[in-house]
Amino acid sequence: MSATVGAAWRAVRAGRLGGVVDTVPGPASLLVRFDPLRTTAEAVRLAVEALLPADADPAPGRTHTLAVRYGGTDGPDLDEVAGRLGMRPEAVIRAHQQAHYSVLVTGFMPGFVYLGPLAPSLRLPRREYPRRVVPAGSVAIAEAQTGVYGVQSAGGWWLIGRVEARLFDPRANPPTRFAIGDQVSFQPADHIGM
């Protein structure tokens, strides 16, 4: 679904529709905000529908492989996650690496990448108490998603590892290397270059 949302988001942005002031992609939807003094909801709906041929397949996204250091100070919650799931830490790592994830959306904080779906065997609710500081590059899980923090921030997801690669640069255009519909896989840091 996220590739379709990404295609819609790009089409609406490129269409420069009169009265549209913002577009906000989500994992399964696209919010199109408009100025009601310049256009109507019906006019926006018709214009958006005209931009999106019903039979068009979304363009395939890029593929990214991220090198992760799991556990230890890079993934301080890995052992607790394993215990809560009734698994060994190595099994959590293996399960996390076996999937290829779709970029569902970016946001919450600059460069945060929401990826999914997470294997049912790895699903946990968010932490009861969020951390005040989560380092940039932290790889985390919560509910049905995994994600990567683009900048240092607060956060309530379970931290299982970290990438060294800089994933968000406010001076770059675009500032993040990920787009909705891209595919992401994780490998141990000692198996591939960062």
Side-chain angles (χ1 to χ4, degrees):
M1 177 71 87
S2 61
T4 303
V5 172
W9 178 63
R10 287 186 290 279
V12 172
R13 288 186 60 183
R16 301 188 184 279
L17 303 176
V20 171
V21 296
D22 194 15
T23 55
V24 182
S29 64
L30 176 65
L31 170 66
V32 180
R33 293 181 51 216
F34 64 93
D35 180 347
L37 298 177
R38 295 178 52 207
T39 190
T40 66
E42 181 65 9
V44 170
R45 183 185 66 76
L46 292 171
V48 169
E49 286 177 358
L51 290 171
L52 306 172
D55 59 348
D57 288 330
R62 294 173 300 200
T63 300
H64 309 271
T65 302
L66 298 178
V68 181
R69 290 184 315 274
Y70 287 96
T73 57
D74 293 312
D77 298 331
L78 179 61
D79 290 337
E80 184 175 353
V81 165
R84 286 174 178 260
L85 295 172
M87 302 169 74
R88 298 184 51 79
E90 299 80 17
V92 171
I93 294 168
R94 227 178 1 265
H96 188 255
Q97 292 173 351
Q98 286 176 342
H100 294 276
Y101 303 97
S102 293
V103 175
L104 303 173
V105 71
T106 60
F108 149 67
M109 291 294 293
F112 188 92
V113 183
Y114 290 88
L115 306 166
L118 187 64
S121 63
L122 295 179
R123 294 181 183 180
L124 288 173
R126 292 170 52 94
R127 292 170 50 89
E128 185 176 355
Y129 300 103
R131 289 182 168 84
R132 290 182 184 210
V133 178
V134 174
S138 291
V139 177
I141 61 174
E143 304 293 344
Q145 297 173 350
T146 186
V148 184
Y149 287 77
V151 297
Q152 178 176 298
S153 67
W157 290 30
W158 299 94
L159 307 181
I160 61 170
R162 187 157 28 140
V163 299
E164 279 189 7
R166 186 173 184 179
L167 303 181
F168 178 76
D169 181 355
R171 296 173 304 240
N173 185 16
T176 180
R177 65 174 78 174
F178 303 100
I180 294 170
D182 284 1
Q183 297 296 301
V184 177
S185 61
F186 296 98
Q187 297 294 324
D190 58 348
H191 287 186
I192 60 174
M194 298 290 260

